[in-house]
Amino acid sequence: MIKRTGIALTALALVAACDAQPPAAAPGGPITVTATDTACRVSATTAPAGNITFQIANQGSKVTEFYLYGEGDRIMGEVENIAPGLNRRLIVEVAGDGTYQTACKPGMAGTGIRGTFTVTGGAAKGTDANAELADVARGYARYVASQTTAFADETKKFAATIKAGDVAGAKAQYARTRIYYERIEPVAAKFGDLDPAIDVREADREAGRKFTGFHRLEKDLWVTGLQPDSGAIADQLVTDVTTLGQKAAALQLSALDLANGAKSLLDEVATGKITGEEEAFSHTDLTDFQANVDGSKAAIQSLRPVLTQRDRALVTAIDSRFADVQKLLDAQRTGDTFKLYTDLSKDQIKEFAAAVDALSEPLSKVAEVVAQ
């Protein structure tokens, strides 16, 4: 589950919430972000339009995240799962001028420590300026369209089963229906409240917000039994998923969006699937894990012609690490699905975590290669 904003797909924002003035950014270098448990210090609060690079250092004691927001909390870029002492880089394409925001999120919770970031001037969008990258984005857009169409169809079937009171049938459909969402979650996350409406976990729900979407129905199916409003929750889920498909169809993605999305999906694995927090009631986390990996691979596949031309060694490293993760997943298959998360040993969970970390390292370099 992720949160987002609403301006043109190429927008940016930077966070500053500190009691001291941040140092000046080095000319031509990345904008540095120093994150602690109580502050988010940004070295510059303005930048010209184009590709903007942020170098985030977590000097706090909690795992943190860094988000780039546009209007309406639409996420334009994000870096998750930044452990204490680690540094991460984020490159975002900002095509036009305007005022944006960024947020550091110590503990990966809440709305974050925010501040204003101003983009000046204008820049041609990468998808317009480079025919090869434009073709990459169009190819991935076709993949997203296929996933959102299948997602809508399967969600309607799932909702109908819920409304028929068929608990066993709905349990069998649950993980399979979510596959399509998990493959394109960074795209879904770009649309304001749609992502939390569809996919918020009970533990992550903001105060006063109604518990809706898949995880509410997951709890109904595995814990409480179907509730009087389960049918209404299912109907709203269908509406939200349909809206997601419509909005995704109109979205203009850039090659940088694909690069950042591929890494974001691995961050989803690291922060939710490996920990068993995503599917807290059904424990079908490995199905989500596989879907996140599939979605990340799809983005890299779309980028492959560009990446191979610019850094063949990086492509080789990514392929090898994907194969390592897939081997571990395949070992946990049972029939057409996977073992439950609760059936994994501590050693197996550690092995998964190590493999995901190893894959995250080369994936973190993709945006920089694409931005060359």
Side-chain angles (χ1 to χ4, degrees), residues 30-326:
I31 295 171
T32 61
V33 180
T34 303
T36 69
D37 296 345
T38 58
C40 187
R41 298 185 178 91
V42 181
S43 65
T45 57
T46 186
N51 289 339
I52 302 178
T53 300
F54 296 91
Q55 188 73 37
I56 304 103
N58 184 4
Q59 297 183 3
S61 63
K62 301 176 182 178
V63 176
T64 194
E65 302 171 331
F66 180 68
Y67 287 81
L68 313 175
Y69 287 118
E71 182 183 351
D73 272 8
R74 179 177 174 181
I75 290 182
M76 319 314 297
E78 61 185 301
V79 178
E80 299 179 328
N81 197 33
I82 311 172
L86 289 189
N87 292 271
R88 292 280 297 278
R89 177 167 287 203
L90 177 65
I91 305 172
V92 179
E93 182 186 9
V94 187
D97 58 3
T99 302
Y100 305 95
Q101 284 191 323
T102 61
C104 294
K105 294 189 180 181
M108 302 189 296
T111 57
I113 303 169
R114 299 199 181 197
T116 300
F117 188 80
T118 303
V119 176
T120 60
K125 213 173 145 49
T127 48
D128 297 328
N130 187 307
E132 187 175 35
L133 293 180
D135 189 57
V136 162
R138 283 193 295 269
Y140 184 73
R142 290 190 290 270
Y143 172 77
V144 171
S146 72
Q147 297 302 304
T148 54
T149 298
F151 184 39
D153 290 343
E154 292 302 313
T155 301
K156 290 173 185 176
K157 295 175 187 177
F158 175 63
T161 306
I162 291 277
K163 294 173 72 175
D166 182 359
V167 172
K171 283 183 174 181
Q173 291 174 320
Y174 174 78
R176 182 174 67 247
T177 303
R178 286 177 52 75
I179 285 171
Y180 306 100
Y181 185 81
E182 293 291 338
R183 287 174 178 164
I184 61 165
E185 191 164 4
V187 173
K190 290 184 177 293
F191 301 115
D193 284 343
L194 270 182
D195 178 56
I198 292 170
D199 198 41
V200 72
R201 295 178 292 199
E202 187 174 33
D204 296 333
R205 186 166 43 111
E206 294 178 3
R209 186 184 185 97
K210 187 176 180 180
F211 189 22
T212 63
F214 276 104
H215 293 304
R216 159 59 202 277
L217 294 173
E218 178 198 10
K219 185 175 183 179
D220 292 355
L221 291 170
W222 271 273
V223 180
T224 64
L226 293 179
Q227 301 296 298
D229 66 340
S230 294
I233 295 293
D235 283 338
Q236 185 60 50
L237 180 60
V238 170
T239 298
D240 291 338
V241 169
T242 300
T243 301
L244 170 64
Q246 293 167 346
K247 287 181 175 291
L251 191 64
Q252 292 185 357
L253 292 167
S254 71
L256 269 178
D257 291 316
L258 274 64
N260 290 327
K263 180 63 174 66
S264 175
L265 283 166
L266 261 291
D267 289 337
E268 283 288 302
V269 172
T271 58
K273 282 64 175 184
I274 287 176
T275 62
E277 296 174 61
E278 181 74 16
E279 306 294 351
F281 311 116
S282 66
H283 306 301
T284 55
D285 302 87
L286 291 186
T287 301
D288 289 355
F289 187 158
Q290 179 69 73
N292 286 157
V293 170
D294 290 343
S296 184
K297 288 174 71 174
I300 295 299
Q301 278 299 114
S302 295
L303 291 166
R304 183 173 293 270
V306 173
L307 295 177
T308 300
Q309 182 182 63
R310 298 181 182 182
D311 194 337
R312 185 177 293 273
L314 179 62
V315 175
T316 300
I318 289 172
D319 288 346
S320 176
R321 298 305 187 191
F322 266 126
D324 291 342
V325 171
Q326 191 60 58

